[in-house]
PDB file of all heavy atoms in Angstrom:
ATOM      1  N   SER A   1      89.921 116.972  94.954  1.00 95.00           N
ATOM      2  CA  SER A   1      89.147 117.525  93.835  1.00 95.00           C
ATOM      3  C   SER A   1      88.390 116.386  93.157  1.00 95.00           C
ATOM      4  O   SER A   1      88.744 115.214  93.310  1.00 95.00           O
ATOM      5  CB  SER A   1      90.067 118.225  92.836  1.00 95.00           C
ATOM      6  OG  SER A   1      90.994 117.309  92.288  1.00 95.00           O
ATOM      7  N   GLU A   2      87.380 116.733  92.409  1.00 91.00           N
ATOM      8  CA  GLU A   2      86.525 115.719  91.783  1.00 91.00           C
ATOM      9  C   GLU A   2      87.308 114.766  90.878  1.00 91.00           C
ATOM     10  O   GLU A   2      87.019 113.575  90.818  1.00 91.00           O
ATOM     11  CB  GLU A   2      85.424 116.412  90.971  1.00 91.00           C
ATOM     12  CG  GLU A   2      84.306 115.495  90.572  1.00 91.00           C
ATOM     13  CD  GLU A   2      83.158 116.255  89.936  1.00 91.00           C
ATOM     14  OE1 GLU A   2      82.731 117.266  90.507  1.00 91.00           O
ATOM     15  OE2 GLU A   2      82.703 115.818  88.869  1.00 91.00           O
ATOM     16  N   ASP A   3      88.330 115.278  90.194  1.00 91.00           N
ATOM     17  CA  ASP A   3      89.137 114.426  89.323  1.00 91.00           C
ATOM     18  C   ASP A   3      90.215 113.647  90.082  1.00 91.00           C
ATOM     19  O   ASP A   3      90.894 112.801  89.511  1.00 91.00           O
ATOM     20  CB  ASP A   3      89.768 115.237  88.190  1.00 91.00           C
ATOM     21  CG  ASP A   3      90.733 116.314  88.688  1.00 91.00           C
ATOM     22  OD1 ASP A   3      91.022 116.376  89.903  1.00 91.00           O
ATOM     23  OD2 ASP A   3      91.200 117.109  87.843  1.00 91.00           O
ATOM     24  N   GLY A   4      90.372 113.930  91.372  1.00 89.00           N
ATOM     25  CA  GLY A   4      91.316 113.192  92.198  1.00 89.00           C
ATOM     26  C   GLY A   4      92.764 113.632  92.058  1.00 89.00           C
ATOM     27  O   GLY A   4      93.662 112.962  92.545  1.00 89.00           O
ATOM     28  N   ASN A   5      92.996 114.776  91.442  1.00 94.00           N
ATOM     29  CA  ASN A   5      94.362 115.235  91.205  1.00 94.00           C
ATOM     30  C   ASN A   5      94.858 116.299  92.176  1.00 94.00           C
ATOM     31  O   ASN A   5      96.035 116.612  92.183  1.00 94.00           O
ATOM     32  CB  ASN A   5      94.499 115.781  89.776  1.00 94.00           C
ATOM     33  CG  ASN A   5      94.380 114.689  88.742  1.00 94.00           C
ATOM     34  OD1 ASN A   5      94.822 113.564  88.960  1.00 94.00           O
ATOM     35  ND2 ASN A   5      93.769 114.999  87.620  1.00 94.00           N
ATOM     36  N   ARG A   6      93.968 116.883  92.987  1.00 96.00           N
ATOM     37  CA  ARG A   6      94.366 117.982  93.859  1.00 96.00           C
ATOM     38  C   ARG A   6      93.773 117.797  95.256  1.00 96.00           C
ATOM     39  O   ARG A   6      92.568 117.621  95.414  1.00 96.00           O
ATOM     40  CB  ARG A   6      93.871 119.303  93.259  1.00 96.00           C
ATOM     41  CG  ARG A   6      94.318 120.539  94.007  1.00 96.00           C
ATOM     42  CD  ARG A   6      93.904 121.807  93.280  1.00 96.00           C
ATOM     43  NE  ARG A   6      92.480 121.832  92.966  1.00 96.00           N
ATOM     44  CZ  ARG A   6      91.536 122.292  93.784  1.00 96.00           C
ATOM     45  NH1 ARG A   6      91.840 122.754  94.971  1.00 96.00           N
ATOM     46  NH2 ARG A   6      90.271 122.287  93.409  1.00 96.00           N
ATOM     47  N   LEU A   7      94.637 117.836  96.247  1.00 97.00           N
ATOM     48  CA  LEU A   7      94.203 117.756  97.641  1.00 97.00           C
ATOM     49  C   LEU A   7      93.577 119.087  98.042  1.00 97.00           C
ATOM     50  O   LEU A   7      94.183 120.146  97.862  1.00 97.00           O
ATOM     51  CB  LEU A   7      95.394 117.443  98.546  1.00 97.00           C
ATOM     52  CG  LEU A   7      95.138 117.435 100.047  1.00 97.00           C
ATOM     53  CD1 LEU A   7      94.165 116.320 100.431  1.00 97.00           C
ATOM     54  CD2 LEU A   7      96.442 117.292 100.802  1.00 97.00           C
ATOM     55  N   ILE A   8      92.364 119.031  98.561  1.00 97.00           N
ATOM     56  CA  ILE A   8      91.675 120.240  99.000  1.00 97.00           C
ATOM     57  C   ILE A   8      91.912 120.476 100.481  1.00 97.00           C
ATOM     58  O   ILE A   8      92.285 121.574 100.889  1.00 97.00           O
ATOM     59  CB  ILE A   8      90.158 120.151  98.702  1.00 97.00           C
ATOM     60  CG1 ILE A   8      89.945 120.081  97.186  1.00 97.00           C
ATOM     61  CG2 ILE A   8      89.408 121.313  99.318  1.00 97.00           C
ATOM     62  CD1 ILE A   8      88.529 119.799  96.768  1.00 97.00           C
ATOM     63  N   GLU A   9      91.710 119.422 101.299  1.00 96.00           N
ATOM     64  CA  GLU A   9      91.828 119.601 102.752  1.00 96.00           C
ATOM     65  C   GLU A   9      92.083 118.263 103.440  1.00 96.00           C
ATOM     66  O   GLU A   9      91.493 117.255 103.075  1.00 96.00           O
ATOM     67  CB  GLU A   9      90.521 120.208 103.281  1.00 96.00           C
ATOM     68  CG  GLU A   9      90.525 120.530 104.736  1.00 96.00           C
ATOM     69  CD  GLU A   9      89.224 121.172 105.214  1.00 96.00           C
ATOM     70  OE1 GLU A   9      88.290 121.346 104.403  1.00 96.00           O
ATOM     71  OE2 GLU A   9      89.159 121.492 106.403  1.00 96.00           O
ATOM     72  N   VAL A  10      92.946 118.284 104.444  1.00 96.00           N
ATOM     73  CA  VAL A  10      93.129 117.130 105.313  1.00 96.00           C
ATOM     74  C   VAL A  10      92.092 117.266 106.423  1.00 96.00           C
ATOM     75  O   VAL A  10      92.078 118.248 107.163  1.00 96.00           O
ATOM     76  CB  VAL A  10      94.558 117.077 105.909  1.00 96.00           C
ATOM     77  CG1 VAL A  10      94.681 115.902 106.871  1.00 96.00           C
ATOM     78  CG2 VAL A  10      95.590 116.977 104.802  1.00 96.00           C
ATOM     79  N   LEU A  11      91.195 116.298 106.515  1.00 97.00           N
ATOM     80  CA  LEU A  11      90.093 116.360 107.468  1.00 97.00           C
ATOM     81  C   LEU A  11      90.433 115.702 108.795  1.00 97.00           C
ATOM     82  O   LEU A  11      89.915 116.095 109.840  1.00 97.00           O
ATOM     83  CB  LEU A  11      88.855 115.695 106.862  1.00 97.00           C
ATOM     84  CG  LEU A  11      88.393 116.274 105.523  1.00 97.00           C
ATOM     85  CD1 LEU A  11      87.310 115.402 104.917  1.00 97.00           C
ATOM     86  CD2 LEU A  11      87.923 117.697 105.705  1.00 97.00           C
ATOM     87  N   SER A  12      91.285 114.677 108.753  1.00 96.00           N
ATOM     88  CA  SER A  12      91.602 113.926 109.966  1.00 96.00           C
ATOM     89  C   SER A  12      92.920 113.187 109.784  1.00 96.00           C
ATOM     90  O   SER A  12      93.258 112.784 108.673  1.00 96.00           O
ATOM     91  CB  SER A  12      90.477 112.924 110.245  1.00 96.00           C
ATOM     92  OG  SER A  12      90.820 112.059 111.291  1.00 96.00           O
ATOM     93  N   ARG A  13      93.636 112.987 110.879  1.00 96.00           N
ATOM     94  CA  ARG A  13      94.828 112.134 110.899  1.00 96.00           C
ATOM     95  C   ARG A  13      94.720 111.238 112.124  1.00 96.00           C
ATOM     96  O   ARG A  13      94.189 111.645 113.151  1.00 96.00           O
ATOM     97  CB  ARG A  13      96.102 112.954 110.982  1.00 96.00           C
ATOM     98  CG  ARG A  13      96.450 113.625 109.677  1.00 96.00           C
ATOM     99  CD  ARG A  13      97.926 113.975 109.666  1.00 96.00           C
ATOM    100  NE  ARG A  13      98.343 114.487 108.392  1.00 96.00           N
ATOM    101  CZ  ARG A  13      98.834 113.753 107.399  1.00 96.00           C
ATOM    102  NH1 ARG A  13      98.980 112.467 107.551  1.00 96.00           N
ATOM    103  NH2 ARG A  13      99.192 114.306 106.269  1.00 96.00           N
ATOM    104  N   SER A  14      95.233 110.007 111.977  1.00 96.00           N
ATOM    105  CA  SER A  14      95.120 109.039 113.064  1.00 96.00           C
ATOM    106  C   SER A  14      96.254 108.023 112.999  1.00 96.00           C
ATOM    107  O   SER A  14      96.771 107.723 111.921  1.00 96.00           O
ATOM    108  CB  SER A  14      93.780 108.314 112.970  1.00 96.00           C
ATOM    109  OG  SER A  14      93.684 107.299 113.927  1.00 96.00           O
ATOM    110  N   ALA A  15      96.596 107.473 114.147  1.00 94.00           N
ATOM    111  CA  ALA A  15      97.556 106.372 114.214  1.00 94.00           C
ATOM    112  C   ALA A  15      96.834 105.034 114.108  1.00 94.00           C
ATOM    113  O   ALA A  15      97.450 104.013 113.838  1.00 94.00           O
ATOM    114  CB  ALA A  15      98.341 106.435 115.522  1.00 94.00           C
ATOM    115  N   SER A  16      95.511 105.037 114.272  1.00 94.00           N
ATOM    116  CA  SER A  16      94.707 103.820 114.294  1.00 94.00           C
ATOM    117  C   SER A  16      93.855 103.710 113.029  1.00 94.00           C
ATOM    118  O   SER A  16      93.129 104.650 112.673  1.00 94.00           O
ATOM    119  CB  SER A  16      93.786 103.838 115.513  1.00 94.00           C
ATOM    120  OG  SER A  16      92.767 102.891 115.397  1.00 94.00           O
ATOM    121  N   GLN A  17      93.918 102.546 112.363  1.00 95.00           N
ATOM    122  CA  GLN A  17      93.112 102.353 111.164  1.00 95.00           C
ATOM    123  C   GLN A  17      91.621 102.350 111.487  1.00 95.00           C
ATOM    124  O   GLN A  17      90.827 102.912 110.737  1.00 95.00           O
ATOM    125  CB  GLN A  17      93.489 101.068 110.443  1.00 95.00           C
ATOM    126  CG  GLN A  17      92.709 100.896 109.153  1.00 95.00           C
ATOM    127  CD  GLN A  17      93.127  99.685 108.349  1.00 95.00           C
ATOM    128  OE1 GLN A  17      93.999  98.936 108.744  1.00 95.00           O
ATOM    129  NE2 GLN A  17      92.490  99.492 107.215  1.00 95.00           N
ATOM    130  N   SER A  18      91.214 101.743 112.575  1.00 96.00           N
ATOM    131  CA  SER A  18      89.779 101.685 112.897  1.00 96.00           C
ATOM    132  C   SER A  18      89.218 103.084 113.166  1.00 96.00           C
ATOM    133  O   SER A  18      88.101 103.391 112.738  1.00 96.00           O
ATOM    134  CB  SER A  18      89.517 100.747 114.072  1.00 96.00           C
ATOM    135  OG  SER A  18      90.252 101.151 115.198  1.00 96.00           O
ATOM    136  N   ILE A  19      89.972 103.927 113.821  1.00 96.00           N
ATOM    137  CA  ILE A  19      89.526 105.305 114.052  1.00 96.00           C
ATOM    138  C   ILE A  19      89.488 106.059 112.730  1.00 96.00           C
ATOM    139  O   ILE A  19      88.560 106.827 112.464  1.00 96.00           O
ATOM    140  CB  ILE A  19      90.430 106.010 115.077  1.00 96.00           C
ATOM    141  CG1 ILE A  19      90.206 105.384 116.454  1.00 96.00           C
ATOM    142  CG2 ILE A  19      90.169 107.514 115.108  1.00 96.00           C
ATOM    143  CD1 ILE A  19      91.158 105.855 117.519  1.00 96.00           C
ATOM    144  N   ALA A  20      90.466 105.818 111.865  1.00 97.00           N
ATOM    145  CA  ALA A  20      90.507 106.470 110.561  1.00 97.00           C
ATOM    146  C   ALA A  20      89.302 106.086 109.704  1.00 97.00           C
ATOM    147  O   ALA A  20      88.736 106.930 109.008  1.00 97.00           O
ATOM    148  CB  ALA A  20      91.809 106.126 109.848  1.00 97.00           C
ATOM    149  N   VAL A  21      88.897 104.821 109.758  1.00 97.00           N
ATOM    150  CA  VAL A  21      87.723 104.377 108.996  1.00 97.00           C
ATOM    151  C   VAL A  21      86.464 105.079 109.510  1.00 97.00           C
ATOM    152  O   VAL A  21      85.620 105.524 108.727  1.00 97.00           O
ATOM    153  CB  VAL A  21      87.568 102.839 109.038  1.00 97.00           C
ATOM    154  CG1 VAL A  21      86.225 102.401 108.467  1.00 97.00           C
ATOM    155  CG2 VAL A  21      88.714 102.179 108.283  1.00 97.00           C
ATOM    156  N   MET A  22      86.336 105.219 110.824  1.00 97.00           N
ATOM    157  CA  MET A  22      85.181 105.932 111.380  1.00 97.00           C
ATOM    158  C   MET A  22      85.192 107.396 110.947  1.00 97.00           C
ATOM    159  O   MET A  22      84.142 107.958 110.616  1.00 97.00           O
ATOM    160  CB  MET A  22      85.169 105.812 112.898  1.00 97.00           C
ATOM    161  CG  MET A  22      84.800 104.425 113.388  1.00 97.00           C
ATOM    162  SD  MET A  22      84.624 104.314 115.178  1.00 97.00           S
ATOM    163  CE  MET A  22      86.330 104.218 115.674  1.00 97.00           C
ATOM    164  N   ALA A  23      86.363 108.010 110.925  1.00 97.00           N
ATOM    165  CA  ALA A  23      86.480 109.402 110.472  1.00 97.00           C
ATOM    166  C   ALA A  23      86.124 109.517 108.987  1.00 97.00           C
ATOM    167  O   ALA A  23      85.475 110.480 108.568  1.00 97.00           O
ATOM    168  CB  ALA A  23      87.887 109.924 110.724  1.00 97.00           C
ATOM    169  N   PHE A  24      86.519 108.524 108.194  1.00 97.00           N
ATOM    170  CA  PHE A  24      86.172 108.493 106.770  1.00 97.00           C
ATOM    171  C   PHE A  24      84.658 108.441 106.594  1.00 97.00           C
ATOM    172  O   PHE A  24      84.086 109.192 105.806  1.00 97.00           O
ATOM    173  CB  PHE A  24      86.834 107.275 106.105  1.00 97.00           C
ATOM    174  CG  PHE A  24      86.440 107.064 104.676  1.00 97.00           C
ATOM    175  CD1 PHE A  24      87.079 107.763 103.657  1.00 97.00           C
ATOM    176  CD2 PHE A  24      85.440 106.166 104.333  1.00 97.00           C
ATOM    177  CE1 PHE A  24      86.717 107.576 102.321  1.00 97.00           C
ATOM    178  CE2 PHE A  24      85.078 105.961 103.017  1.00 97.00           C
ATOM    179  CZ  PHE A  24      85.720 106.678 102.004  1.00 97.00           C
ATOM    180  N   ARG A  25      83.983 107.567 107.330  1.00 97.00           N
ATOM    181  CA  ARG A  25      82.517 107.440 107.235  1.00 97.00           C
ATOM    182  C   ARG A  25      81.830 108.732 107.677  1.00 97.00           C
ATOM    183  O   ARG A  25      80.843 109.163 107.067  1.00 97.00           O
ATOM    184  CB  ARG A  25      82.019 106.264 108.089  1.00 97.00           C
ATOM    185  CG  ARG A  25      82.553 104.919 107.652  1.00 97.00           C
ATOM    186  CD  ARG A  25      82.053 104.516 106.297  1.00 97.00           C
ATOM    187  NE  ARG A  25      82.600 103.207 105.938  1.00 97.00           N
ATOM    188  CZ  ARG A  25      82.813 102.817 104.707  1.00 97.00           C
ATOM    189  NH1 ARG A  25      82.520 103.595 103.703  1.00 97.00           N
ATOM    190  NH2 ARG A  25      83.326 101.633 104.456  1.00 97.00           N
ATOM    191  N   ALA A  26      82.344 109.372 108.724  1.00 97.00           N
ATOM    192  CA  ALA A  26      81.775 110.643 109.185  1.00 97.00           C
ATOM    193  C   ALA A  26      81.967 111.726 108.123  1.00 97.00           C
ATOM    194  O   ALA A  26      81.055 112.525 107.867  1.00 97.00           O
ATOM    195  CB  ALA A  26      82.413 111.064 110.502  1.00 97.00           C
ATOM    196  N   ALA A  27      83.124 111.751 107.491  1.00 97.00           N
ATOM    197  CA  ALA A  27      83.383 112.732 106.438  1.00 97.00           C
ATOM    198  C   ALA A  27      82.436 112.523 105.254  1.00 97.00           C
ATOM    199  O   ALA A  27      81.958 113.491 104.653  1.00 97.00           O
ATOM    200  CB  ALA A  27      84.834 112.641 105.979  1.00 97.00           C
ATOM    201  N   GLN A  28      82.151 111.256 104.926  1.00 95.00           N
ATOM    202  CA  GLN A  28      81.179 110.950 103.864  1.00 95.00           C
ATOM    203  C   GLN A  28      79.818 111.547 104.198  1.00 95.00           C
ATOM    204  O   GLN A  28      79.146 112.094 103.333  1.00 95.00           O
ATOM    205  CB  GLN A  28      81.002 109.445 103.714  1.00 95.00           C
ATOM    206  CG  GLN A  28      82.016 108.750 102.870  1.00 95.00           C
ATOM    207  CD  GLN A  28      81.621 107.296 102.703  1.00 95.00           C
ATOM    208  OE1 GLN A  28      81.558 106.547 103.674  1.00 95.00           O
ATOM    209  NE2 GLN A  28      81.360 106.900 101.478  1.00 95.00           N
ATOM    210  N   ALA A  29      79.406 111.417 105.445  1.00 96.00           N
ATOM    211  CA  ALA A  29      78.090 111.913 105.861  1.00 96.00           C
ATOM    212  C   ALA A  29      78.027 113.441 105.832  1.00 96.00           C
ATOM    213  O   ALA A  29      77.016 114.013 105.437  1.00 96.00           O
ATOM    214  CB  ALA A  29      77.760 111.401 107.256  1.00 96.00           C
ATOM    215  N   PHE A  30      79.102 114.099 106.249  1.00 95.00           N
ATOM    216  CA  PHE A  30      79.106 115.558 106.323  1.00 95.00           C
ATOM    217  C   PHE A  30      79.414 116.230 104.990  1.00 95.00           C
ATOM    218  O   PHE A  30      79.069 117.390 104.795  1.00 95.00           O
ATOM    219  CB  PHE A  30      80.096 116.040 107.388  1.00 95.00           C
ATOM    220  CG  PHE A  30      79.582 115.839 108.774  1.00 95.00           C
ATOM    221  CD1 PHE A  30      80.085 114.822 109.572  1.00 95.00           C
ATOM    222  CD2 PHE A  30      78.582 116.645 109.298  1.00 95.00           C
ATOM    223  CE1 PHE A  30      79.597 114.623 110.856  1.00 95.00           C
ATOM    224  CE2 PHE A  30      78.098 116.455 110.575  1.00 95.00           C
ATOM    225  CZ  PHE A  30      78.606 115.437 111.359  1.00 95.00           C
ATOM    226  N   ARG A  31      80.065 115.511 104.099  1.00 94.00           N
ATOM    227  CA  ARG A  31      80.392 116.059 102.780  1.00 94.00           C
ATOM    228  C   ARG A  31      80.000 115.045 101.701  1.00 94.00           C
ATOM    229  O   ARG A  31      80.851 114.477 101.036  1.00 94.00           O
ATOM    230  CB  ARG A  31      81.869 116.397 102.699  1.00 94.00           C
ATOM    231  CG  ARG A  31      82.241 117.460 103.714  1.00 94.00           C
ATOM    232  CD  ARG A  31      83.632 117.936 103.540  1.00 94.00           C
ATOM    233  NE  ARG A  31      83.899 118.932 104.559  1.00 94.00           N
ATOM    234  CZ  ARG A  31      85.028 119.584 104.657  1.00 94.00           C
ATOM    235  NH1 ARG A  31      85.999 119.354 103.808  1.00 94.00           N
ATOM    236  NH2 ARG A  31      85.208 120.467 105.609  1.00 94.00           N
ATOM    237  N   PRO A  32      78.699 114.814 101.536  1.00 93.00           N
ATOM    238  CA  PRO A  32      78.244 113.751 100.630  1.00 93.00           C
ATOM    239  C   PRO A  32      78.622 113.964  99.162  1.00 93.00           C
ATOM    240  O   PRO A  32      78.709 112.999  98.410  1.00 93.00           O
ATOM    241  CB  PRO A  32      76.728 113.744 100.815  1.00 93.00           C
ATOM    242  CG  PRO A  32      76.389 115.079 101.365  1.00 93.00           C
ATOM    243  CD  PRO A  32      77.583 115.517 102.157  1.00 93.00           C
ATOM    244  N   LYS A  33      78.858 115.202  98.754  1.00 93.00           N
ATOM    245  CA  LYS A  33      79.222 115.457  97.358  1.00 93.00           C
ATOM    246  C   LYS A  33      80.734 115.549  97.168  1.00 93.00           C
ATOM    247  O   LYS A  33      81.204 115.642  96.040  1.00 93.00           O
ATOM    248  CB  LYS A  33      78.553 116.731  96.866  1.00 93.00           C
ATOM    249  CG  LYS A  33      77.042 116.594  96.808  1.00 93.00           C
ATOM    250  CD  LYS A  33      76.394 117.808  96.237  1.00 93.00           C
ATOM    251  CE  LYS A  33      74.888 117.595  96.237  1.00 93.00           C
ATOM    252  NZ  LYS A  33      74.180 118.682  95.624  1.00 93.00           N
ATOM    253  N   GLY A  34      81.484 115.524  98.260  1.00 94.00           N
ATOM    254  CA  GLY A  34      82.934 115.626  98.159  1.00 94.00           C
ATOM    255  C   GLY A  34      83.577 114.288  97.841  1.00 94.00           C
ATOM    256  O   GLY A  34      83.000 113.227  98.085  1.00 94.00           O
ATOM    257  N   ARG A  35      84.762 114.337  97.283  1.00 96.00           N
ATOM    258  CA  ARG A  35      85.538 113.113  97.046  1.00 96.00           C
ATOM    259  C   ARG A  35      86.449 112.934  98.254  1.00 96.00           C
ATOM    260  O   ARG A  35      87.379 113.699  98.471  1.00 96.00           O
ATOM    261  CB  ARG A  35      86.360 113.217  95.774  1.00 96.00           C
ATOM    262  CG  ARG A  35      87.140 111.944  95.531  1.00 96.00           C
ATOM    263  CD  ARG A  35      87.771 111.925  94.182  1.00 96.00           C
ATOM    264  NE  ARG A  35      88.384 110.631  93.956  1.00 96.00           N
ATOM    265  CZ  ARG A  35      88.928 110.274  92.810  1.00 96.00           C
ATOM    266  NH1 ARG A  35      88.934 111.109  91.805  1.00 96.00           N
ATOM    267  NH2 ARG A  35      89.463 109.084  92.680  1.00 96.00           N
ATOM    268  N   ILE A  36      86.157 111.927  99.050  1.00 97.00           N
ATOM    269  CA  ILE A  36      86.872 111.677 100.291  1.00 97.00           C
ATOM    270  C   ILE A  36      87.753 110.440 100.112  1.00 97.00           C
ATOM    271  O   ILE A  36      87.305 109.431  99.554  1.00 97.00           O
ATOM    272  CB  ILE A  36      85.895 111.452 101.472  1.00 97.00           C
ATOM    273  CG1 ILE A  36      84.865 112.598 101.548  1.00 97.00           C
ATOM    274  CG2 ILE A  36      86.652 111.294 102.781  1.00 97.00           C
ATOM    275  CD1 ILE A  36      85.422 113.964 101.791  1.00 97.00           C
ATOM    276  N   ARG A  37      88.979 110.537 100.602  1.00 97.00           N
ATOM    277  CA  ARG A  37      89.906 109.404 100.552  1.00 97.00           C
ATOM    278  C   ARG A  37      90.454 109.126 101.938  1.00 97.00           C
ATOM    279  O   ARG A  37      90.717 110.039 102.715  1.00 97.00           O
ATOM    280  CB  ARG A  37      91.104 109.719  99.653  1.00 97.00           C
ATOM    281  CG  ARG A  37      90.841 109.628  98.207  1.00 97.00           C
ATOM    282  CD  ARG A  37      92.105 109.874  97.435  1.00 97.00           C
ATOM    283  NE  ARG A  37      91.868 109.697  96.009  1.00 97.00           N
ATOM    284  CZ  ARG A  37      92.653 110.179  95.073  1.00 97.00           C
ATOM    285  NH1 ARG A  37      93.740 110.848  95.390  1.00 97.00           N
ATOM    286  NH2 ARG A  37      92.367 109.980  93.805  1.00 97.00           N
ATOM    287  N   LEU A  38      90.638 107.849 102.210  1.00 97.00           N
ATOM    288  CA  LEU A  38      91.376 107.413 103.395  1.00 97.00           C
ATOM    289  C   LEU A  38      92.682 106.833 102.880  1.00 97.00           C
ATOM    290  O   LEU A  38      92.678 105.915 102.063  1.00 97.00           O
ATOM    291  CB  LEU A  38      90.594 106.347 104.173  1.00 97.00           C
ATOM    292  CG  LEU A  38      91.366 105.627 105.283  1.00 97.00           C
ATOM    293  CD1 LEU A  38      91.919 106.601 106.312  1.00 97.00           C
ATOM    294  CD2 LEU A  38      90.494 104.586 105.948  1.00 97.00           C
ATOM    295  N   ARG A  39      93.795 107.416 103.336  1.00 96.00           N
ATOM    296  CA  ARG A  39      95.102 106.946 102.889  1.00 96.00           C
ATOM    297  C   ARG A  39      95.959 106.519 104.082  1.00 96.00           C
ATOM    298  O   ARG A  39      95.860 107.076 105.163  1.00 96.00           O
ATOM    299  CB  ARG A  39      95.859 108.058 102.144  1.00 96.00           C
ATOM    300  CG  ARG A  39      95.229 108.431 100.846  1.00 96.00           C
ATOM    301  CD  ARG A  39      96.063 109.381 100.005  1.00 96.00           C
ATOM    302  NE  ARG A  39      96.612 110.503 100.744  1.00 96.00           N
ATOM    303  CZ  ARG A  39      97.927 110.756 100.861  1.00 96.00           C
ATOM    304  NH1 ARG A  39      98.821 109.979 100.324  1.00 96.00           N
ATOM    305  NH2 ARG A  39      98.326 111.815 101.531  1.00 96.00           N
TER     306      ARG A  39
END
């Protein structure tokens, strides 16, 4: 959520940090107004 208090959707899961970073960048491109986190 915009305030960062509520998880809306898990977009990707990975065992590899480099793959996770690429998924994070892709999520930014596809959801430019969304608040995306890589954890």
Side-chain angles (χ1 to χ4, degrees):
S1 61
E2 194 172 312
D3 62 6
N5 292 325
R6 185 174 53 88
L7 175 64
I8 296 172
E9 184 178 1
V10 177
L11 303 171
S12 172
R13 285 201 174 268
S14 175
S16 164
Q17 183 176 1
S18 57
I19 291 172
V21 170
M22 288 186 281
F24 174 83
R25 298 294 180 208
Q28 277 186 297
F30 285 105
R31 298 187 181 182
K33 294 184 181 184
R35 181 170 186 174
I36 308 298
R37 283 184 176 161
L38 169 57
R39 293 188 314 120

